[in-house]
Structure formats: C-alpha cells, structure tokens
C-alpha cells in the first residue's frame, strides 16, 4: 500500500488530511477559492408570485394585480442580478416577469368585466314574504 512522502501530511493517496490538532482545510482543494454564494431568491420569488397571480385572477382581480406587480418587480431585480453574474436563475426571473404581467392583465380584465356586468349579476332575493307572519318560523303548521 503506497504511503505519502515523509514530510507532507496526507493519506495513502496523497490527498491532504488534517493532522491531530489541525482544523479542516479552509478550501475544498489547496489553492482554490470557494465560489461566491449566488443570490437566487429574487428570481425564485418572482416565479412563485407570478404563478400565484395567474391562479388568483378570478378572485375579483385584485390579488392578481397585486401579486403580478410584485412578480414584475422581483423579476426585474432577478434579471439584473443574473446579468451581473450574482445569480444563475435568469430563466426563473424571466418566467416570473412574464407570468406577473399576464396576471396583471387578467386581473384588470376581470375587474373590467365585473364593472361592466355589475347590473346584470343576480341579486339575493328575499324568498320570504313579510306579510306572512310564519315566514321565518320553524314551526310547521298542518294544512287542510
């Protein structure tokens, strides 16, 4: 079994291993600096908010507009970070930007439809006649 040369700390295969009393090596390989941490949160947030905007336009349109605006803002920030090399998920940021814009458009269209057809929406009608004293009563009367 081969051994490391005398004077160099290592295992039988020549890799650096900590000796008793030493801490772990600060880098994965000697002489190589670790990569800076990527900031992918904005792009991921944009994509999630954009998809939520698409799926919530039918709730009177307001949540879709709010979530869509947030998705567009986070998408722009995420794309800028991807262009500078601070993030590697530019495609997620772009998806968030597009789905946010579509969510804003769908929410606004739904609000317009509600405003236009508000008069034609069915009203809650009172099924009970006020002239009937037993209309709200739970007592069932016998009929002849």
């Amino acid at each position: 079994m081969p051994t490391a040369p005398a004077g160099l700390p290592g295992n039988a295969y020549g890799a650096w291993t900590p000796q008793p009393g030493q801490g772990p090596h600060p880098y994965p390989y000697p002489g190589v600096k670790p990569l800076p941490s990527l900031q992918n949160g904005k792009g991921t947030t944009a994509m999630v908010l954009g998809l939520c905007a698409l799926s919530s336009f039918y709730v009177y349109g307001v949540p879709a507009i709010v979530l869509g605006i947030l998705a567009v803002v986070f998408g722009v920030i995420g794309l800028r970070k991807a262009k500078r090399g601070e993030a590697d998920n530019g495609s997620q940021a772009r998806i968030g930007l597009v789905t946010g814009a579509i969510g804003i458009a769908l929410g606004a269209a739904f609000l317009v439809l509600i405003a236009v057809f508000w008069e034609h929406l069915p009203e809650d009608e009172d099924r009970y006649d006020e002239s009937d004293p037993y209309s709200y009563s739970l007592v069932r009367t016998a009929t002849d």
Side-chain angles (χ1 to χ4, degrees):
M1 178 176 228
T3 59
L8 290 178
N11 61 13
Y13 301 104
W16 186 88
T17 55
Q19 299 299 313
Q22 288 182 328
H25 201 276
Y27 301 116
Y29 299 103
V32 177
K33 293 183 179 179
L35 294 173
S37 63
L38 296 174
Q39 301 173 358
N40 291 331
K42 303 287 193 246
T44 305
T45 302
M47 185 181 70
V48 169
L49 287 173
L51 293 173
C52 289
L54 281 180
S55 64
S56 66
F57 75 92
Y58 55 86
V59 186
Y60 297 113
V62 176
I65 293 172
V66 172
L67 292 173
I69 290 171
L70 289 172
V72 168
V73 169
F74 279 108
V76 168
I77 294 171
L79 280 175
R80 288 183 182 167
K81 285 186 180 284
K83 281 186 180 180
R84 288 191 304 250
E86 297 174 6
D88 64 351
N89 65 344
S91 59
Q92 285 183 345
R94 190 172 294 113
I95 289 171
L97 185 70
V98 170
T99 55
I102 293 171
I104 292 170
L106 286 175
F110 200 75
L111 277 176
V112 168
L113 283 174
I114 289 174
V116 168
F117 294 109
W118 186 260
E119 292 179 5
H120 305 294
L121 292 176
E123 296 179 15
D124 288 337
E125 296 177 8
D126 191 9
R127 297 182 308 202
Y128 303 107
D129 187 16
E130 291 182 17
S131 63
D132 183 10
Y134 300 106
S135 63
Y136 292 102
S137 173
L138 296 177
V139 177
R140 183 173 176 152
T141 57
T143 57
D144 292 330

